[in-house]
Amino acid sequence: MTTQRKAAMRIIYVDVDTLRADHTQPYGYARPTTPNLQALADKSVVFERYYCSDSPCLPSRTALTSGQFGITNGVIGHFGEAARYRLDAGHRPHPDRPLLGQRLGDHGYYTAAVSMFAERHRAYHFLGNFRESIRATNEINDEDGREINRVGLDWIRRHAHEDDWYLHLTYWEPHVPYLTEPGWTEKAAASGPPPAWPDQQTIDAHAEVYGPRSALDLHYWRGPRRSSYPENMPDEIRTRADFEHLINGFDGTIMYWDSLFGELLATLDELGIADETAIIVSADHGESFGENGCYAEHAHANEAVQRVPLVVYWPGVTDNLPADERRCDALLYNIDLAPTLCELLDLPVPSGWQGTSFAGAVRGEEIPSRPYLVLGHGAHTYQRSVRTRDHLYIRTYHPGAYRLEWEQLYNVTEDPHLTTDLLEAEPELAAQMRTHLAEWWHTYAGRPGALPDPMQSTLQVGPTGYNDPLEYAEHLRATGRAHLADDLLERLATATGATPVSWHAPQRTVA
């Protein structure tokens, strides 16, 4: 039975695909990429250490709206069994693990979305969050943010003077391939110096780091390709000029998105509801730009990919906070957002959600920080990492088509671009991080009633939906990099004693 709501509110969740936190002004970026986001941040709380529990797109948004890690909800990757959401049976949402939108709806909130995400990733469980779900166009890729505004701002105008709604807007920008007009790339180039890292020496070394969207295979996707938008992206990264071209394209798309966000803010002002509407701005994941040798891709469970921005404006709460209460540096997951919204709206938090509310921080209070986070990636590689306040430990379970070590350890505070692996130099710290990962795994997959860890149960197939590692190895040979092809094949060697067929659907027999 539907219960009565306890708080009246309009909420807009602005979901910006691939928005890397440290390329925005609220997070200290030197270039003026996001003046409109900064204007919102000036009356909001900015969360410094907010991470998607699972990446990239499909695992992240599933975790966000289910309130659960991928190891529990079933979605750790982008295809096959690794992308299968564990939906409970019955005619109603399970009371212990409803989707965020279902919990809001059960308490009187009208939920709506303007998003192509469900169709793009066949994530039809995502639609369960919303009474009304709109695709702005018939496109399921490369949708222009102007279309989101065309439909989304019209929706806001029609519902402006109603209470108790939640609107989710998904913007494709700044996801590759940077489809904005070249003028935005030029504007970014003229806005200030680009990041100083990677330098030329680092770029030269990255010629030995293979993988789709690596320096020499920047556009490899199921085969070698050239840049489809050369005005915004180079063909490869061989020089600083190439890198600057690439980063100008990325920053230009952020500037374009921010201009659209400005239109959203102006519409709320025009309608007289800007001071009565909560706005939450975040991303599904970030993007690597040289970290671990990867460029313009979200392929690892590293700092560049897993850390995402979070700016929360809550009318009547964040408006008048002093400056020292407008930033929170506690270690947080995106699965914490669902219980936070429930607490802010005075709604009960489902017992099956695995996040923890940080509503206190939205109110300007100091909140405790977790000692560590465990983060996962399952679309291009299979990795899990442990993030403490200073360090990042990364464990690779399947490299996909990438050159990756099985274990890595970095001091992110001192080495933000992950250039120095401390695994051998700090054995005690490495052992502690392994223990954190094991404790987390046993908590969520090693107890009665737990279903198999999808990263383990799909490990024989691995993250091969976008690129076949064996085909990529042949590409390496064809481009004069046979030694790198040999390295990849060695990393792909089957685990000792493993059966060479799927355990649940045998394809061949041994004579």
Side-chain angles (χ1 to χ4, degrees):
M1 180 177 180
T2 300
T3 58
Q4 292 297 313
R5 60 184 180 272
K6 294 185 179 181
M9 181 62 68
R10 306 180 190 93
I11 305 169
I12 301 175
Y13 183 87
V14 181
D15 172 7
V16 191
D17 205 298
T18 323
L19 182 61
R20 178 164 160 158
D22 62 2
H23 279 247
T24 69
Q25 288 173 245
Y27 290 85
Y29 197 44
R31 286 177 161 182
T33 52
T34 55
N36 291 301
L37 181 60
Q38 182 60 55
L40 182 74
D42 289 342
K43 59 179 183 179
S44 303
V45 175
V46 176
F47 293 84
E48 301 275 8
R49 297 171 180 262
Y50 184 68
Y51 293 79
C52 57
S53 65
D54 299 84
S55 73
C57 316
L58 177 54
S60 178
R61 291 189 181 95
T62 301
L64 174 76
T65 57
S66 71
Q68 295 184 325
F69 295 105
I71 196 173
T72 300
N73 69 44
V75 179
I76 57 93
H78 273 189
F79 85 107
E81 291 299 314
R84 186 183 295 278
Y85 181 65
R86 289 168 173 168
L87 183 65
D88 48 88
H91 300 288
R92 284 192 50 76
H94 193 287
D96 296 337
R97 59 181 300 265
L99 297 168
L100 169 60
Q102 293 170 335
R103 173 50 49 119
L104 296 177
D106 272 353
H107 289 268
Y109 291 86
Y110 189 96
T111 56
V114 180
S115 177
M116 66 172 175
F117 167 68
E119 183 61 41
R120 172 173 166 75
H121 283 285
R122 301 301 189 263
Y124 298 121
H125 57 273
F126 183 73
L127 299 176
N129 285 284
F130 309 108
R131 283 182 59 186
E132 181 182 355
S133 185
I134 309 165
R135 283 169 53 199
T137 72
N138 197 42
E139 298 295 330
I140 59 172
N141 289 295
D142 306 342
E143 185 178 55
D144 193 308
R146 284 175 293 199
E147 298 298 330
I148 299 299
N149 273 12
R150 177 181 60 82
V151 175
L153 300 188
D154 174 70
W155 192 97
I156 292 170
R157 291 181 189 279
R158 288 185 286 110
H159 295 269
H161 299 293
E162 299 171 10
D163 287 327
D164 307 327
W165 49 257
Y166 177 91
L167 176 64
H168 184 120
L169 302 175
T170 300
Y171 292 88
W172 171 254
E173 296 88 6
H175 196 289
V176 290
Y178 312 157
L179 299 179
T180 55
E181 294 86 350
W184 289 99
T185 298
E186 296 165 5
K187 182 176 180 180
S191 69
W197 190 92
D199 58 18
Q200 187 59 53
Q201 182 178 3
T202 301
I203 292 171
D204 291 342
H206 284 169
E208 291 294 301
V209 181
Y210 56 76
R213 298 234 187 261
S214 57
L216 302 188
D217 287 319
L218 186 60
H219 299 280
Y220 188 98
W221 184 73
R222 296 177 181 171
R225 299 166 186 257
R226 298 178 68 84
S227 175
S228 54
Y229 294 89
E231 300 88 350
N232 298 340
M233 297 183 73
D235 285 326
E236 55 189 4
I237 307 295
R238 289 186 180 272
T239 66
R240 271 290 298 180
D242 292 332
F243 171 76
E244 291 175 14
H245 185 183
L246 180 68
I247 212 67
N248 290 338
F250 180 68
D251 286 349
T253 60
I254 294 175
M255 289 178 163
Y256 175 59
W257 165 76
D258 185 75
S259 73
L260 299 173
F261 183 60
E263 293 177 6
L264 169 62
L265 297 180
T267 299
L268 297 178
D269 279 329
E270 172 195 331
L271 295 169
I273 60 170
D275 296 334
E276 304 168 0
T277 304
I279 303 177
I280 302 165
V281 181
S282 191
D284 53 343
H285 52 75
E287 192 85 315
S288 290
F289 282 100
E291 290 84 2
N292 297 122
C294 187
Y295 291 85
E297 187 59 280
H298 28 275
H300 305 86
N302 64 11
E303 185 75 3
V305 174
Q306 303 291 146
R307 184 191 182 206
V308 292
L310 179 66
V311 177
V312 178
Y313 168 66
W314 204 268
V317 177
T318 66
D319 310 70
N320 299 313
L321 292 176
D324 62 349
E325 295 179 5
R326 290 194 179 281
R327 304 194 82 86
C328 173
D329 70 348
L331 287 168
L332 301 172
Y333 290 114
N334 64 341
I335 62 171
D336 296 332
L337 184 65
T340 298
L341 290 177
C342 283
E343 182 177 342
L344 290 170
L345 296 171
D346 199 20
L347 306 180
V349 177
S351 61
W353 286 357
Q354 294 167 334
T356 301
S357 171
F358 55 84
V362 177
R363 301 186 188 107
E365 302 164 10
E366 186 174 345
I367 62 171
S369 177
R370 291 180 176 85
Y372 64 89
L373 305 175
V374 174
L375 315 169
H377 180 92
H380 302 276
T381 62
Y382 273 9
Q383 291 187 320
R384 285 201 173 111
S385 60
V386 178
R387 180 66 160 102
T388 61
R389 295 198 70 80
D390 291 318
H391 293 90
L392 180 73
Y393 167 83
I394 306 175
R395 177 71 170 91
T396 300
Y397 297 92
H398 194 302
Y402 289 83
R403 182 168 193 164
L404 296 170
E405 302 306 323
W406 297 114
E407 293 181 284
Q408 301 161 76
L409 179 64
Y410 300 99
N411 185 324
V412 185
T413 303
E414 299 177 358
D415 178 23
H417 300 296
L418 316 182
T419 62
T420 303
D421 189 343
L422 302 175
L423 192 73
E424 293 185 4
E426 303 235 20
E428 292 184 4
L429 177 59
Q432 182 183 55
M433 299 294 247
R434 293 186 192 107
T435 298
H436 290 329
L437 182 57
E439 288 174 344
W440 177 89
W441 190 91
H442 284 288
T443 297
Y444 295 103
R447 294 185 178 183
L451 292 173
D453 176 1
M455 190 170 286
Q456 292 291 329
S457 61
T458 64
L459 192 52
Q460 190 168 90
V461 175
T464 56
Y466 292 128
N467 292 290
D468 184 324
L470 299 181
E471 290 180 1
Y472 181 71
E474 291 305 309
H475 164 71
L476 290 173
R477 293 189 192 284
T479 52
R481 294 175 283 175
H483 66 295
L484 299 183
D486 292 341
D487 182 86
L488 174 58
L489 294 178
E490 182 178 347
R491 294 174 195 272
L492 293 170
T494 302
T496 303
T499 178
V501 297
S502 170
W503 62 270
H504 60 81
Q507 299 173 354
R508 59 193 175 104
T509 56
V510 178

